Amino acid sequence: SLHDALPISWSNYNALQAEVRRRFSHGFDFQANYTWSKAFTDFEGTQANFSGLLDLTLGDEKEKRRGVNDLTHIFKANAGYELPFGPGKRWLNNGAIGKVFGGMKLTGIFIAASGRPISILSTRGTLNRVGRSTINTVNTNLTIEQLQEITGLFFDPNTGRPLMFSPEVVQAVRNDTSPLRDQNGFFSNPGPGTVGNLQLTPVSGPGLWNLDMGFIKRTNLTETVNLEFRMEAFNIFNKTNFFISAAELNQNINNPTTQRFGEITQTYDPRILQFALKLNF
């Protein structure tokens, strides 16, 4: 059978998860959770893609990588607070004033996460590997810790464009004649018959944090009918969070013209305001 004749792929996921929750009481509810995790695999594909079965020839030392959606740290929190005004509340709980100021609630959702894993590739077909030349990595003298120090969020000092590597590294890679390209910790192509000494997905790109907030005002018209006004602000602080697309997760040192090495080209949504008016019955 195919299973008996060929090696199989694998993946694993390990995590520490913690959560704090306050149930609704005195108009306030709160929930927060944190995940510290690591997801590894030796192949990422589909049921119709058998290259993972055909070419695990180098073993875990080269094939093992972080999953494409592996985020080391994720913190999420949400909360709601009913303002203490109006009927049944502490203040302004009588008559018309109570109707005007009652039924108001604030909500919020916060997220902070580490960046997605990035691979630094040569793509040179230096070794006859079925379908694998496109993910052949580079040689480097830097440790993973040193590579992470030059990976994250930087800005080109000349253009102001966002970069996922430090400007010195980006310029050295883009300039084929630079002596820095193949020296001391920058990147070079593996020699014939070899693969790069750097594993796939060794470093993480820029992380993100975002806060969404909402305001809700419910006005009771009868015992069973109320008018609800909602105002919601997504990314309320209008923070620029940079998005690394699937194509940009694989950085090719030999193709700096069609895909500018190290350049970030996309962002998550800016601030978005949304309003709604509903009649509930």
Side-chain angles (χ1 to χ4, degrees):
S1 67
L2 181 65
H3 182 276
D4 295 331
L6 298 171
I8 60 175
S9 296
W10 59 267
S11 64
N12 64 48
Y13 173 83
N14 294 283
L16 167 69
Q17 299 176 335
E19 181 175 276
V20 176
R21 180 183 300 178
R22 173 193 166 101
R23 298 184 183 277
F24 183 80
S25 177
H26 301 288
F28 180 69
D29 64 276
F30 174 79
Q31 180 181 5
N33 58 70
Y34 167 72
T35 302
W36 177 36
S37 64
K38 187 69 71 176
F40 284 117
T41 184
D42 62 349
F43 173 73
E44 287 185 304
T46 66
Q47 292 180 342
N49 184 346
F50 291 98
S51 61
L53 301 176
L54 295 172
D55 185 48
L56 296 180
T57 54
L58 297 181
D60 285 352
E61 180 180 356
K62 293 298 181 184
E63 306 288 355
K64 182 178 179 180
R65 74 197 73 171
R66 293 163 57 196
V68 66
N69 291 317
D70 176 57
L71 304 178
T72 305
H73 303 282
I74 304 178
F75 175 80
K76 297 179 180 179
N78 62 82
Y81 178 59
E82 291 184 352
L83 300 183
F85 309 125
K89 301 298 183 181
R90 184 174 181 182
W91 294 303
L92 303 177
N93 51 21
N94 293 316
I97 291 182
K99 274 202 168 185
V100 171
F101 291 97
M104 293 189 292
K105 183 176 182 179
L106 297 175
T107 62
I109 300 175
F110 176 78
I111 182 171
S114 302
R116 299 175 72 188
I118 295 173
S119 294
I120 304 167
L121 305 180
S122 161
T123 72
R124 294 288 175 88
T126 54
L127 189 66
N128 186 18
R129 306 173 67 205
V130 178
R132 294 296 182 147
S133 64
T134 56
I135 59 171
N136 196 0
T137 62
V138 297
N139 285 332
T140 183
N141 294 324
L142 290 183
T143 64
I144 300 299
E145 290 75 17
Q146 290 171 323
L147 281 172
Q148 188 60 72
E149 289 177 2
I150 60 172
T151 308
L153 179 61
F154 302 86
F155 293 91
D156 190 310
N158 299 316
T159 66
R161 292 173 179 258
L163 305 171
M164 66 184 74
F165 303 110
S166 69
E168 294 80 7
V169 174
V170 171
Q171 291 304 318
V173 170
R174 290 180 181 177
N175 182 2
D176 290 345
T177 62
S178 170
L180 292 175
R181 175 173 173 139
D182 295 333
Q183 288 181 5
N184 279 344
F186 291 162
F187 313 120
S188 61
N189 292 301
T194 67
V195 295
N197 64 11
L198 183 63
Q199 286 185 305
L200 294 164
T201 64
V203 290
S204 296
L208 67 88
W209 67 263
N210 181 71
L211 176 64
D212 301 332
M213 293 197 70
F215 170 79
I216 303 171
K217 170 68 171 76
R218 294 188 180 97
T219 303
N220 291 328
L221 302 180
T222 69
E223 289 186 359
T224 58
V225 179
N226 69 74
L227 186 66
E228 179 181 307
F229 169 75
R230 303 178 71 98
M231 179 176 66
E232 295 164 323
F234 304 95
N235 189 9
I236 189 170
F237 291 116
N238 202 30
K239 183 181 185 299
T240 303
N241 286 301
F242 293 97
F243 175 70
I244 308 299
S245 67
E248 292 170 337
L249 291 176
N250 294 321
Q251 290 290 304
N252 180 1
I253 69 169
N254 295 303
N255 192 20
T257 54
T258 57
Q259 179 188 322
R260 303 278 292 173
F261 179 86
E263 192 169 288
I264 302 173
T265 62
Q266 299 183 52
T267 64
Y268 288 92
D269 289 333
R271 182 193 296 122
I272 297 175
L273 299 178
Q274 178 175 287
F275 301 88
L277 187 65
K278 297 196 298 184
L279 183 66
N280 299 313
F281 57 91

